Amino acid sequence: MSSSRTAAPEPTEWTRGPVADLFSSYVATAALSAAQQLGILDQLAEHGEAPFGNGGDERLDDGVIRSIHRTLHWANVVEVKNDELVIPGALFDAAYAARGYVYWLVKGCGELFSTAPDVTWTKRRTGTFYHRDMRAVALGSRLIGEEEVEPLFDRVLADPPVEKVADLGCGSGQRLIRILGNHPGARGVGVDISHASVQLATESVDEAGLTDRITVLQGDVLALEPRPEFADVDTVTCVFMGHDFWPHDSCVRTLRRLRTAFPAAKRLFICDVVRTTELPGPDTTIFTLGFEAIHALMGDYLPTYDQWHKAFEESGWECRSVQPSTTPPNGYLFELTPRAGE
């Protein structure tokens, strides 16, 4: 009887090449994430060089830092010169631009990816069955949004200027801080369900000297009720967490509840990444696989572009404008206003 199984490839066919690169790329993303948190990438971006190793900083293990540098040398992110100096490599600029995505992936979501086989079993998908580093998710998301999304917000919020803004899923708090910097007379309130994010945002607001103008609250955006801090909010923003509203019926309820929680709101801005409908291939953009995979692991539904519009229609919000973003890919900024009489 003949077998349909092909003969195993020789080791020389898979210990080097595309499959081996998958393995090494995993190590490289971990090194890139560590280099981001340790400030190595910023040092190279600012000064153009760094010592190979810890440079005499005994707080950092020299062997580990050298390993990070060697791994990034393999990835062409840095170049190690004479075992003494590290300089930016051929891919440094691109890697630096993508550092927020990598930090979100590795530091923010790495534990959940590593436990994927365990959380796949349906009997284990109850209660709190996974963990993410939400401080890292917040910091990574901030870096992701800085290039395009945040400047886009600056433009759309300029006219008419905001008087009081609520940021739902406020993360690190940097968006509120920047908005109030652009609108000197404005006030703000941030809401986040994560204790780590609330702590980070509170620290950021304090460092910015804005504790008298910004209030940070811990709360579930999906279940907000009216409260004094919300009564005079005229603008509501929600960035990179709108998919948490879903599935459809939950999203419609949440959007309706926001009208009640923020009775004076004239505009609601939702910026989020939508689910792709085609199979991934050679042209799949950064973030797409990771974003969709991590939310599948968490059991979160990701809506498509058309599904968002259906939810807006049913929840009493009118979509006044839509602006796409290229970073993050498949992102859209929806500008909504309450539909009169509803």
Side-chain angles (χ1 to χ4, degrees):
M1 178 181 292
S2 62
S3 174
S4 61
R5 183 177 179 182
T6 59
E10 294 294 326
T12 53
E13 298 178 38
W14 59 267
T15 57
R16 291 184 177 86
V19 172
D21 287 348
L22 289 176
F23 180 95
S24 298
S25 294
Y26 182 91
V27 183
T29 56
L32 190 60
S33 176
Q36 163 59 28
Q37 182 168 328
L38 293 170
I40 294 172
L41 298 182
D42 286 337
Q43 182 178 4
L44 287 169
E46 183 175 353
H47 301 291
E49 64 180 37
F52 179 47
N54 67 7
D57 185 348
E58 295 183 357
R59 296 174 302 170
L60 303 175
D61 185 273
D62 188 68
V64 174
I65 299 299
R66 287 175 180 266
S67 176
I68 290 172
H69 288 155
R70 286 172 57 85
T71 302
L72 295 181
H73 177 92
W74 172 86
N76 291 319
V77 173
V78 306
E79 183 180 348
V80 177
K81 307 285 286 185
N82 302 320
D83 282 347
E84 295 179 356
L85 198 65
V86 177
I87 64 173
L91 299 182
F92 179 82
D93 288 344
Y96 190 74
R99 68 196 186 283
Y101 298 91
V102 176
Y103 193 66
W104 174 92
L105 178 76
V106 177
K107 181 69 171 179
C109 305
E111 180 180 337
L112 180 51
F113 276 118
S114 71
T115 60
D118 304 316
V119 303
T120 297
W121 296 93
T122 54
K123 65 181 180 180
R124 298 179 181 177
R125 297 176 67 80
T126 58
T128 304
F129 62 90
Y130 67 87
H131 174 260
R132 290 199 298 166
D133 185 330
M134 294 310 297
R135 184 182 180 94
V137 168
L139 290 172
S141 297
R142 187 186 81 188
L143 289 170
I144 290 171
E146 280 180 347
E147 183 174 345
E148 184 174 354
V149 170
E150 301 304 341
L152 180 58
F153 263 98
D154 291 343
R155 293 195 296 273
V156 298
L157 294 180
D159 187 25
V162 302
E163 295 182 7
K164 187 172 184 180
V165 58
D167 190 29
L168 309 182
C170 63
S172 66
Q174 293 299 320
R175 182 174 308 104
L176 278 173
I177 293 171
R178 196 192 64 262
I179 291 173
L180 266 62
N182 294 334
H183 301 264
R187 292 169 296 129
V189 55
V191 182
D192 206 294
I193 196 172
S194 164
H195 175 73
S197 294
V198 169
Q199 184 177 16
L200 176 61
T202 300
E203 293 170 359
S204 300
V205 169
D206 183 57
E207 290 174 2
L210 292 172
T211 54
D212 60 330
R213 296 173 58 197
I214 297 177
T215 303
V216 182
L217 305 172
Q218 185 169 6
D220 184 355
V221 173
L222 278 61
L224 290 182
E225 298 292 341
R227 53 187 300 164
E229 295 90 344
F230 299 161
D232 54 348
V233 167
D234 59 84
T235 303
V236 180
T237 60
C238 179
V239 182
F240 299 158
M241 70 146 295
H243 51 274
D244 291 336
F245 294 4
W246 289 77
H248 177 82
D249 290 346
S250 172
C251 181
V252 171
R253 285 195 302 270
T254 299
L255 288 171
R256 288 175 177 167
R257 184 177 284 115
L258 291 181
R259 294 193 59 173
T260 302
F262 300 98
K266 300 176 183 177
R267 296 187 293 173
L268 166 61
F269 292 94
I270 295 179
C271 184
D272 214 344
V273 176
V274 304
R275 174 167 53 88
T276 58
T277 55
E278 67 279 358
L279 287 172
D283 294 328
T284 296
T285 53
I286 193 171
F287 198 54
T288 299
L289 281 178
F291 182 76
E292 295 185 4
I294 204 67
H295 286 88
L297 288 170
M298 292 190 297
D300 290 345
Y301 184 87
L302 293 179
T304 65
Y305 177 86
D306 291 338
Q307 288 172 329
W308 266 118
H309 279 279
K310 183 178 180 182
F312 297 151
E313 178 68 25
E314 293 185 21
S315 62
W317 291 92
E318 180 181 351
C319 186
R320 298 291 300 274
S321 68
V322 181
Q323 300 192 54
S325 72
T326 55
T327 52
N330 307 311
Y332 293 90
L333 174 60
F334 302 101
E335 180 182 359
L336 311 173
T337 56
R339 189 179 297 117
E342 295 189 30

